[in-house]
Amino acid sequence: MTTNLQSAPETTARPAALVRPAPGRSRAWARRAPLLPALIFTIVLTQLPFVGTIIVSFMNWNSLLPSERGFAGFGNYTQVLTNAELRSTISFTVQLTAIVVIASMVLGFAIAMLVNERFLGRGIVRTLLVLPFLVVPVAGALFWKHAILNPSYGLINGTLTAIWNLFGSDNPPQPDILSTAPTLGIALSLIWRWTPFMMLILLAGLQSRKQDVMEAAAVDGAGHWAIFRYMTLPHMRRYLELGGLFGSIYLVQEFDAVFMLTAGGLGTTNLPYAVYKTFYLANDYGLASALGVMVVIGTIVIALFTLRVLLSLFKETAR
């Protein structure tokens, strides 16, 4: 009888001990709890609209044809891939991105090599070189449209007129670049804006070189070209990849330059501008959503490569 009375409190106390949360888990949730509102806000603000876009992309939804609204399956995606105009849009997007990324990367690398050297006023020069990247994209596009590329009073034709007049000619060439070579006009404005971005990334890479190793190579008789070819260029490979991938992510989504310079005319419609036209002008919400989803998928693929390069870069830095 005495034994039964002593064992009763032990059996009732055991379940309470089992449900008590571990101290470490409580501390972890205490740290995470303040972040939950920001996480929920981010999900509601970014992911739910994207889920809605995906749903609409599988629908026939044109506000001009309300009687035809319904489920379309992969019809909108099939139309994007088979329509000749939309395929041309994808091709122009890839072409413009490649031109701008490669040109701005080459120019940015050359400028980074120059401003990496010591000279009087280097800080001021670096600050001035970064300014184009800080200009609002719409303002930069308007600047190129009216101040640089305008055939009547633009800087390019004004410079050609001054040079021809210097040699006694009154008939200088006056090219209308936006009409005759619209891709070149858009690319020039974007190269002007993105070269400082590439310069900053590549300048960081140049300054991360080990100076004692570079000086030892020079002492051993290696020339400037040999140092660049066999030491600088391999060291800069990750930074070049990083700049190219970051530039591709943003340039695939470029809208301002196309809208302000050509309004998508003369074969210069890229994917973001095609989304705008399909949504606001054609009122075809389903097809516009399918185009938008394809832009996002392309951007995610490039972003995954970017993250891979970033991780490898951090691992090399940590060694």
Side-chain angles (χ1 to χ4, degrees):
M1 184 65 183
T2 305
T3 305
N4 294 337
L5 289 174
Q6 288 176 350
S7 60
E10 293 179 1
T11 54
T12 55
R14 187 172 297 168
L18 290 175
V19 298
R20 186 181 301 167
R25 185 178 300 177
S26 300
R27 284 197 296 270
W29 275 108
R31 289 195 302 268
R32 293 168 185 164
L35 300 176
L36 281 179
L39 179 63
I40 295 172
F41 177 78
T42 304
I43 291 174
V44 170
L45 200 65
T46 62
Q47 302 306 309
L48 290 185
F50 183 60
V51 171
T53 304
I54 293 176
I55 294 173
V56 175
S57 71
F58 288 101
M59 296 178 63
N60 275 327
W61 188 352
N62 190 321
S63 62
L64 301 178
L65 303 168
S67 60
E68 298 182 3
R69 186 182 303 176
F71 182 69
F74 288 94
N76 290 323
Y77 292 95
T78 305
Q79 187 175 349
V80 170
L81 297 176
T82 56
N83 185 284
E85 185 178 352
L86 293 177
R87 281 207 311 271
S88 172
T89 296
I90 296 173
S91 172
F92 176 75
T93 305
V94 174
Q95 179 187 359
L96 181 66
T97 302
I99 291 173
V100 175
V101 167
I102 293 172
S104 58
M105 193 179 296
V106 171
L107 289 174
F109 197 8
I111 296 173
M113 294 283 290
L114 290 175
V115 297
N116 190 45
E117 303 295 329
R118 294 182 181 277
F119 58 87
L120 183 63
R122 185 176 65 170
I124 298 175
V125 172
R126 286 180 177 177
T127 304
L128 293 176
L129 287 172
V130 174
L131 285 181
F133 190 64
L134 304 180
V135 175
V136 177
V138 172
L142 284 174
F143 168 73
W144 271 84
K145 183 176 184 178
H146 295 291
I148 306 293
L149 300 174
N150 190 284
S152 301
Y153 51 82
L155 180 63
I156 292 179
N157 287 1
T159 303
L160 290 175
T161 302
I163 294 174
W164 256 249
N165 290 338
L166 190 64
F167 291 97
S169 174
D170 296 328
N171 190 24
Q174 298 290 285
D176 187 356
I177 296 177
L178 286 180
S179 298
T180 56
T183 303
L184 176 63
I186 296 173
L188 286 175
S189 70
L190 291 175
I191 291 168
W192 170 79
R193 181 148 61 87
W194 282 95
T195 295
F197 173 80
M198 299 294 180
M199 183 202 73
L200 287 176
I201 291 181
L202 299 176
L203 184 60
L206 289 173
Q207 292 184 343
S208 67
R209 293 179 301 176
K210 296 180 179 178
Q211 291 302 318
D212 53 343
V213 176
M214 307 294 291
E215 292 172 1
V219 170
D220 289 341
H224 294 292
W225 171 249
I227 292 175
F228 175 79
R229 170 68 179 83
Y230 296 106
M231 299 183 70
T232 301
L233 209 53
H235 173 78
M236 295 296 294
R237 183 176 67 87
R238 295 293 184 188
Y239 295 90
L240 289 167
E241 291 175 355
L242 184 64
L245 291 170
F246 268 130
S248 300
I249 288 174
Y250 287 103
L251 284 164
V252 164
Q253 305 172 40
E254 178 63 36
F255 176 83
D256 305 274
V258 173
F259 180 73
M260 299 307 301
L261 291 176
T262 62
L266 302 172
T268 59
T269 299
N270 63 349
L271 276 172
Y273 193 77
V275 173
Y276 165 77
K277 283 201 309 183
T278 309
F279 191 93
Y280 286 103
L281 303 183
N283 295 296
D284 194 338
Y285 306 144
L287 184 59
S289 299
L291 279 167
V293 170
M294 294 193 70
V295 173
V296 172
I297 291 173
T299 306
I300 289 174
V301 171
I302 300 173
L304 288 176
F305 281 107
T306 306
L307 289 174
R308 185 176 177 182
V309 172
L310 270 176
L311 288 175
S312 62
L313 193 60
F314 289 150
K315 288 179 182 177
E316 288 183 0
T317 306
R319 287 175 185 170

